[in-house]
Amino acid sequence: MKKLMKKNLSTAAIALLLLCVADLPGRSEVQYAGIAPNPAAPVRTIIDKRPVLHAEGIKFGAYDPHGDFGAQANVATEALFLPWEDVDLETLRVADAYAQARGRRNLLITVEPWSWDVDWRLTSAELRAKVLRGDYDVNMRAIAQMISALKSPVIVRWGQEMEDKSGRFSWSGWNPQDYITAYRRMMDIVRQEAPGTELMWSPKGEPGLQAYYPGDDYVDLVGLSVFGLQRYDELAYNEHRTFSEALKQGYDLVAGYGKPIWVAELGYEGGDAYMKPWIETATLKQSAFPNLQEVVYFNDRDVHAWPFNLGRPDWRVVKSLAN
């Protein structure tokens, strides 16, 4: 088994770049529903597309390796992604201090059960066998022990988007019972080493996710992934989807569990007319989603290419003036 090795994470970047939020009038998302796609190139003048934070709205958090939200108030959660191999766990202390200094309420730690070095990655079958055999218990235990020493309240999100069939993640598409066994094994370790840590079960939001539900005792929060890419919507749906339309399928599939629901990963990209509804409504409380408690923006370029040869979308809120 490969041991934990040192590699710095860009979790708590210190850059404090802030640009003004676009001056957008308050509107209901209903006004944008059903907008027909325009085949012409989208007009883009917005250089800062961060979501509008509404008073009395949904709480907001961010995965922010560039530090674009570093000086922004009302960011409840600092999110980070952590492979369980080739990582320096001391970076968790850095993220904790960063969050504490900025008054962030939570750390949301997504633990990805692989290495970020593609040359180290196992096949899906190899990874499944080793996890179920207990070969990676020591990795998870080391992470949980470090979590127990942090000052911030922590939420652990392990093996996200498990029902996805695209092959994006080595742990996605496993036999549901194998995934449930692995998830419970890892979360039992978290509970042993870091009592009080909340557990987030985080499907992508696709049909079939119910088969992967590990049981109420192993879920404190449910996290979904919600992304909006204009050109993808045009090719896949022949229409522009709003935030509510993109969220609805996954939300409806998990609402019956009665758990607090988060959008654990949020991102959008396109022209002004496409993005404005997302910017204005992502943190707006809506009666259709009564259990939605927080949205967490993924403030970086996607690490995977999208279908239709669309490449890796850039979800980052600040658009370079040089582009």
Side-chain angles (χ1 to χ4, degrees):
M1 185 193 71
K2 297 183 178 71
K3 65 180 180 179
L4 294 172
M5 296 180 63
K6 290 189 176 181
K7 180 180 286 186
N8 291 332
L9 296 178
S10 58
T11 308
I14 306 303
L16 299 179
L17 174 61
L18 280 179
L19 298 176
C20 295
V21 176
D23 184 15
L24 300 171
R27 298 185 182 179
S28 165
E29 194 176 52
V30 174
Q31 294 177 261
Y32 297 104
I35 294 176
N38 185 344
V43 176
R44 174 68 180 272
T45 64
I46 296 172
I47 60 172
D48 191 327
K49 61 181 181 181
R50 71 188 66 216
V52 172
L53 303 188
H54 297 273
E56 309 302 324
I58 302 299
K59 292 178 181 176
F60 178 76
Y63 166 64
D64 188 28
H66 303 285
D68 296 330
F69 293 95
Q72 181 169 326
N74 301 322
V75 179
T77 297
E78 187 75 22
L80 61 145
F81 290 77
L82 190 76
W84 67 6
E85 292 187 291
D86 62 306
V87 62
D88 181 358
L89 293 179
E90 287 297 320
T91 56
L92 289 178
R93 295 188 193 273
V94 176
D96 186 36
Y98 183 87
Q100 289 279 303
R102 286 154 183 81
R104 308 286 161 85
R105 186 171 57 86
N106 300 309
L107 279 180
L108 172 61
I109 302 176
T110 297
V111 180
E112 298 188 333
W114 62 359
S115 168
W116 285 349
D117 185 338
V118 295
D119 293 332
W120 277 25
R121 290 181 187 170
L122 304 175
T123 67
S124 179
E126 290 170 337
L127 177 63
R128 181 176 65 244
K130 289 171 76 69
V131 170
L132 294 176
R133 194 167 60 219
D135 291 8
Y136 284 104
D137 287 6
V138 63
N139 299 62
M140 196 68 197
R141 197 170 302 279
I143 292 170
Q145 288 172 348
M146 178 59 76
I147 287 172
S148 71
L150 303 180
K151 296 180 181 179
S152 301
V154 173
I155 302 163
V156 170
R157 177 181 180 240
W158 185 87
Q160 75 275 21
E161 301 185 6
M162 73 298 298
E163 86 280 22
D164 180 55
K165 300 279 194 300
S166 70
R168 176 172 184 161
F169 296 121
S170 302
W171 57 88
S172 296
W174 287 357
N175 174 280
Q177 191 54 54
D178 286 344
Y179 177 85
I180 290 171
T181 300
Y183 175 94
R184 289 177 175 175
R185 184 183 191 106
M186 296 303 112
M187 294 310 200
D188 280 339
I189 292 173
V190 171
R191 285 176 164 167
Q192 292 164 11
E193 300 294 343
T197 300
E198 289 195 289
L199 313 181
M200 178 180 282
W201 174 69
S202 194
K204 185 176 183 178
E206 299 291 334
L209 65 81
Q210 300 96 324
Y212 292 87
Y213 188 65
D216 289 347
D217 291 344
Y218 283 86
V219 179
D220 297 309
L221 307 165
V222 174
L224 297 168
S225 300
V226 179
F227 290 93
L229 183 62
Q230 177 172 343
R231 188 58 182 145
Y232 178 82
D233 281 4
E234 292 169 355
L235 294 170
Y237 304 108
N238 197 35
E239 65 178 1
H240 293 164
R241 297 196 303 170
T242 64
F243 169 73
S244 294
E245 290 165 342
L247 171 62
K248 180 175 171 50
Q249 174 179 267
Y251 183 95
D252 289 348
L253 288 170
V254 301
Y257 298 124
K259 301 289 184 177
I261 297 171
W262 288 30
V263 174
E265 295 185 37
L266 167 69
Y268 43 81
E269 174 59 15
D272 289 2
Y274 179 83
M275 292 194 300
K276 282 182 180 181
W278 288 75
I279 291 169
E280 295 181 8
T281 61
T283 72
L284 189 67
K285 278 192 176 179
Q286 301 185 56
S287 60
F289 309 120
N291 292 341
L292 183 62
Q293 290 195 349
E294 187 161 340
V295 297
V296 179
Y297 197 88
F298 185 92
N299 191 40
D300 203 1
R301 188 179 182 190
D302 207 309
V303 296
H304 295 276
W306 274 49
F308 304 114
N309 295 316
L310 295 177
R312 295 166 49 210
D314 190 355
W315 312 117
R316 188 177 175 185
V317 293
V318 177
K319 181 175 177 62
S320 172
L321 296 175
N323 290 345

